Amino acid sequence: MRLSAELGILFLVVATTLPLKAQEKADSLSPRLLPSEHLVHDFVADGLAHRFTATRLLSPHEVCVGTGGILPLVEYVLWDLPVQISSGASIQARLDPGQGIAVLSTEFSVDFFLLDIELADGLIIRTGMGHASHHLGDGAAKDSTRQPIDYSRDDVQLFIIHPSAFLCGQLYAGLRYNYALVIGQPVRKPLSFQIGIHALPWSLSPELSVYVGWDVKLQQELSYGNSQRYEGGLQYKTAEGRILRIAVSYSAGYDERGQFFGKRRSEAGMGIVVSL
């Protein structure tokens, strides 16, 4: 964790210094701090994306809540290529209202940096470095039949993203390499793959649209078993770029929470999602 933080800070220092060096060679460079727009949209159907969520599951009768977001830090044009550096973090929890709002699990995740480079119109690559740790909540810990799992991972990622004007959305595909993965003990199965899509098939007004999304992950530690998630509903986008979604979701496959490693699930829910 400490090594990941140090590497992330070092990268941000180098990346924000690059524009000053490149300015000597290219007059087109224009660094800008804290830009208001994201070069890459959030992965809409990714259940672990950094955003604000409140979802009531229909089966099981639980509540998913989360708080977080991705903040663009700096953007500039380097050798005629738009570049944006962001950082993101979130905390997610699963609650059981039937047990006096008992907390079943809590998941912490952070992307120390996300580096997005627009190589061409409709083609963006993303790389970054992150960390996650998952913990059993107090409510589940009181269950003598369930033992907490020491779960954490440090990873680097590489994604190809295709913003699509036809879909009014984007497609993405990529992988994560978990250079430090602990599931009770260190695990040497570092690869996970992720693909997804989201689209706005109907526009009801300039701000309001119907949206749909799909996301699937394959994890080497589960013999490349998959976790799938579908999401759809109404999306409202403000002039400042903030997005509010009224969402219906369905998840199937392996549970993404480390404390429920290897467990299969099938659950549907309704809720509110806010992306900054």
Side-chain angles (χ1 to χ4, degrees):
M1 173 69 177
R2 181 179 179 183
L3 176 60
S4 300
E6 292 174 348
L7 289 174
I9 293 171
L10 176 62
F11 181 89
L12 288 176
V13 171
V14 173
T16 52
T17 303
L18 276 175
L20 302 179
K21 298 296 183 182
Q23 182 66 55
E24 301 173 0
K25 299 182 179 180
D27 295 332
S28 61
L29 196 60
S30 53
R32 188 156 63 99
L33 295 177
L34 300 177
S36 59
E37 295 185 2
H38 295 257
L39 189 60
V40 174
H41 295 292
D42 60 329
F43 296 170
V44 168
D46 184 351
L48 297 181
H50 302 311
R51 53 194 180 184
F52 292 83
T53 63
T55 302
R56 173 71 187 202
L57 297 179
L58 307 179
S59 177
H61 297 295
E62 298 171 359
V63 176
C64 299
V65 295
T67 179
I70 294 178
L71 175 66
L73 300 175
V74 61
E75 68 178 17
Y76 50 90
V77 177
L78 180 60
W79 299 304
D80 294 326
L81 298 178
V83 176
Q84 187 174 82
I85 300 173
S86 305
S87 184
S90 60
I91 302 174
Q92 302 191 18
R94 184 70 69 91
L95 312 177
D96 184 355
Q99 298 184 24
I101 317 298
V103 179
L104 300 179
S105 67
T106 307
E107 290 76 48
F108 300 89
S109 61
V110 57
D111 284 306
F112 297 111
F113 72 89
L114 295 169
L115 173 62
D116 300 322
I117 304 174
E118 187 174 4
L119 298 179
D121 187 26
L123 179 60
I124 300 172
I125 63 168
R126 162 173 283 186
T127 186
M129 177 180 291
H131 170 82
S133 62
H134 298 181
H135 305 273
L136 203 62
D138 293 338
K142 295 177 181 179
D143 183 355
S144 60
T145 64
R146 187 180 301 280
Q147 297 298 319
I149 299 174
D150 182 11
Y151 182 95
S152 66
R153 65 174 185 266
D154 296 282
D155 65 78
V156 292
Q157 61 177 276
L158 179 63
F159 277 81
I160 298 175
I161 299 159
H162 171 54
S164 171
F166 175 75
L167 297 174
C168 296
Q170 67 183 10
L171 301 92
Y172 56 88
L175 63 86
R176 287 181 172 84
Y177 179 83
N178 301 306
Y179 60 89
L181 176 63
V182 175
I183 308 174
Q185 60 184 2
V187 177
R188 295 185 179 275
K189 294 185 177 180
L191 295 178
S192 64
F193 300 88
Q194 182 176 1
I195 59 174
I197 182 175
H198 83 262
L200 305 178
W202 296 288
S203 178
L204 306 178
S205 73
E207 299 84 13
L208 186 64
S209 303
V210 174
Y211 80 96
V212 293
W214 170 74
D215 182 274
V216 62
K217 299 173 185 173
L218 306 173
Q219 298 170 286
Q220 187 178 10
E221 69 267 24
L222 291 168
S223 299
Y224 296 106
N226 69 79
S227 302
Q228 299 186 52
R229 191 171 186 276
Y230 305 83
E231 185 175 306
L234 293 176
Q235 171 180 298
Y236 181 85
K237 185 174 182 178
T238 69
E240 294 77 19
R242 294 184 176 88
I243 296 175
L244 168 67
R245 297 187 180 100
I246 308 299
V248 177
S249 61
Y250 174 76
S251 301
Y254 285 102
D255 201 313
E256 295 190 68
R257 295 170 295 170
Q259 296 302 316
F260 299 84
F261 178 77
K263 302 294 185 182
R264 289 187 174 274
R265 52 158 184 169
S266 177
E267 55 193 34
M270 299 180 62
I272 296 174
V273 180
V274 180
S275 298
L276 301 180

